[in-house]
Amino acid sequence: MSERKSIHGEWSSQLAFFLAATGSAVGLGNIWQFPFIDGNNGGGAFVLIYLACIVLIGLPILIAEVTLGRRGRESPVNTLRGLALDEGRSRAWVGVGFISMVSGIIILSFYSVVAGWSLDYLLLSLRGAYAGASPDRVSRMFAGLTANPWRQMFWFTLFLAVSLWFSARGVRAGLERAARIMMPLLFALLLLLVVYALIVGDAGAAFSYLFSPDFSRLDGQAVLLAMGHSFFTLSLGIGAMMVYGAYTPNNVSIFRVSIWVAVADTGVALFAGMAIFSLVFAKGLAPAQGPGLIFTTLPVAFGAMPLGSLFGAAFFAVLVLAAWTSAVSMIEPTVAWLEERGWVRMRAVLAVGAVVWLLGMVLDFSFNIWSGVAWQGRTLFELFNFVSSDIMLPLGGFLIALFAGWMVSERSLRRELGVSRPLLRLWLLVLRYVTPVGVLLIFLNALGLIRGAL
Ligand code: PFF
């Protein structure tokens, strides 16, 4: 039972798995979302809650997903089916795999739109479009982009097409190669940006903003956001890490690599935050700008700095690279599942891509033609984002924690993880009790059932 083999292939080494998993984790969540969620929720206190969520909720589930994946060696749906069968559990657990596939498709649709903006901005930066521009002009520039459905369509389609191309090439020649090329480039560019921001920006203000807590700004909603974001940023709850686990060679230490993935992911968010806030504060701009922080406030700051267009281009290149290595992992659970049902990989990728593209068009229109359409005060775009990252991912992660913690025997987990018994026990303790209770409390609080408790 333990010698299952993946029909999709394997990563070539431990490093390849680390790069691919970090590629999935590091994405728009770290560079586009983290700074603005943090800015909206008061900076330092939010960072602390976020770090606690990563350690107590995210990391244990990351380890669980990779472990289940390597044990099952198939797409999340079939891995869950196989493991439930082995352990004599209900077949209904397969449902978690289906939820995860839907989440991935929804996330990729809005992800592609934002990555498309980044591509557009990469070009704008190279053309010096925002050099010396006033905040007003940059706001109009961004509004001009989102108001134009065809320009948006062009960029998000281009982004999606490249993602699908890597995906179609398979595990080693596609996913692994993308990570091997893009991740080192991303780290190098980010480092360069951080050094630049420290030199020309206001690093002291950024540091104290990110790390000095103001708990008065923190409420239940902020804690929910921190938790939702810890799932999103580690690509949890949608089977991406599970399917990446299915491609992991047996000699890889899941515990060790998972910790490194969480460290790298958190490091990128904090470094990106330092760079962004250093620049924004140096120009006396306000950080709490919502999703527009990166596309309106930041270009104003870059535009006023020496060599700003060049470094601005580097920044948007980092965003695009980060998004590509994440995008391929979002649809992998579905692509792998279709392949296991006998589809040729190319056909599976095209079918999934078509659905993502159609949803992306809906989101594209939600900024212009259908901008009036809203539900409970949220535009379609905000709704997709909220439902997937704040509801579906935590729900998926919660169920995966329950499955790994309560449904799979300790013996088979130990065999897969190969760690000492005390360490395994500690992980199981957190996975069985702390993680599910934490997710549940935060959920109930967000739904208003225990309002005021947090
Ligand atoms: N972790 C990615 C980010 O932070 O941008 C987002 C993501 C990737 C979510 C892959 C889910 C996923 F399966």
Side-chain angles (χ1 to χ4, degrees):
M1 147 179 121
S2 61
E3 285 324 310
R4 291 187 167 116
K5 255 186 108 55
S6 151
I7 61 160
H8 312 284
E10 271 188 5
W11 310 117
S12 61
S13 63
Q14 173 150 298
L15 177 68
F17 170 55
F18 167 75
L19 288 175
T22 306
S24 170
V26 170
L28 298 177
N30 304 60
I31 305 162
W32 167 64
Q33 256 177 348
F34 172 74
F36 84 72
I37 308 183
D38 183 60
N40 280 346
N41 289 284
F46 183 85
V47 173
L48 285 181
I49 301 293
Y50 167 72
L51 292 179
C53 287
I54 293 279
V55 174
L56 293 176
I57 298 180
L59 184 58
I61 297 184
L62 174 60
I63 296 171
E65 280 207 26
V66 178
T67 308
L68 294 178
R70 193 167 71 179
R71 194 122 194 93
R73 292 249 178 249
E74 288 184 287
S75 64
V77 164
N78 287 328
T79 282
L80 289 166
R81 175 175 291 132
L83 294 182
L85 206 72
D86 288 350
E87 307 281 341
R89 306 295 178 183
S90 158
R91 276 175 54 106
W93 284 103
V94 167
V96 180
F98 283 103
I99 300 182
S100 68
M101 296 199 292
V102 176
S103 314
I105 288 173
I106 295 183
I107 293 180
L108 185 54
S109 64
F110 74 78
Y111 215 78
S112 302
V113 173
V114 179
W117 297 342
S118 312
L119 276 172
D120 189 313
Y121 267 64
L122 176 57
L123 194 72
L124 288 175
S125 310
L126 291 173
R127 295 201 337 234
Y130 50 73
S134 65
D136 221 37
R137 216 182 93 205
V138 178
S139 289
R140 268 186 278 121
M141 202 170 89
F142 185 51
L145 165 61
T146 55
N148 185 337
W150 312 119
R151 181 165 150 206
Q152 258 190 146
M153 182 187 87
F154 172 77
W155 291 113
F156 101 73
T157 306
L158 180 65
F159 173 82
L160 187 60
V162 174
S163 315
L164 296 178
W165 183 78
F166 276 109
S167 202
R169 306 215 49 199
V171 175
R172 280 224 188 149
L175 310 187
E176 180 172 327
R177 201 147 65 104
R180 278 188 187 276
I181 301 170
M182 294 184 195
M183 292 314 286
L185 192 60
L186 181 154
F187 288 135
L189 285 176
L190 184 65
L191 199 68
L192 202 71
L193 277 160
V194 171
V195 173
Y196 171 77
L198 293 184
I199 295 172
V200 301
D202 187 346
F207 192 84
S208 77
Y209 182 75
L210 273 174
F211 298 106
S212 60
D214 169 8
F215 284 100
S216 67
R217 299 271 310 267
L218 215 60
D219 55 11
Q221 198 59 32
V223 179
L224 175 73
L225 281 175
M227 179 188 74
H229 192 66
S230 70
F231 279 95
F232 189 81
T233 192
L234 290 177
S235 309
L236 300 176
I238 83 161
M241 290 299 184
M242 205 188 281
V243 79
Y244 274 24
Y247 306 154
T248 303
N250 283 329
N251 60 2
V252 168
S253 159
I254 294 179
F255 239 83
R256 189 166 329 136
V257 179
S258 300
I259 292 175
W260 277 111
V261 171
V263 168
D265 183 71
T266 310
V268 169
L270 295 177
F271 277 116
M274 271 302 286
I276 292 165
F277 290 127
S278 297
L279 295 171
V280 166
F281 287 136
K283 290 294 144 201
L285 300 165
Q289 284 296 320
L293 174 67
I294 296 306
F295 296 100
T296 52
T297 312
L298 192 63
V300 176
F302 272 122
M305 300 283 183
L307 296 178
S309 296
L310 196 65
F311 282 92
F315 177 83
F316 289 106
V318 165
L319 265 182
V320 175
L321 292 171
W324 264 324
T325 50
S326 297
V328 290
S329 72
M330 289 174 200
I331 49 168
E332 188 58 22
T334 313
V335 170
W337 177 66
L338 289 173
E339 255 194 308
E340 285 157 14
R341 294 181 63 94
W343 290 43
V344 177
R345 193 170 175 94
M346 177 59 104
R347 183 162 157 239
V349 167
L350 288 177
V352 178
V355 176
V356 172
W357 188 82
L358 285 174
L359 287 175
M361 280 312 287
V362 171
L363 294 179
D364 175 350
F365 290 155
S366 80
F367 286 96
N368 33 70
I369 307 175
W370 296 337
S371 61
V373 182
W375 193 71
Q376 297 212 328
R378 290 190 165 95
T379 63
L380 283 174
F381 180 82
E382 288 163 346
L383 205 64
F384 270 45
N385 192 348
F386 174 74
V387 169
S388 56
S389 39
D390 294 321
I391 308 224
M392 292 178 81
L393 297 196
L395 183 67
F398 173 74
L399 294 172
I400 289 168
L402 288 188
F403 185 77
W406 296 99
M407 301 290 140
V408 180
S409 72
E410 200 175 309
R411 208 165 44 101
S412 37
L413 292 174
R414 176 132 193 258
R415 182 127 53 96
E416 202 57 57
L417 277 166
V419 290
S420 66
R421 184 157 290 162
L423 190 56
L424 185 82
R425 286 272 157 87
L426 177 68
W427 169 65
L428 272 178
L429 193 77
V430 178
L431 193 68
R432 284 182 178 161
Y433 301 100
V434 182
T435 311
V437 171
V439 177
L440 211 61
L441 280 181
I442 297 171
F443 251 142
L444 291 179
N445 183 66
L447 295 176
L449 297 177
I450 50 167
R451 195 167 288 290
L454 286 171

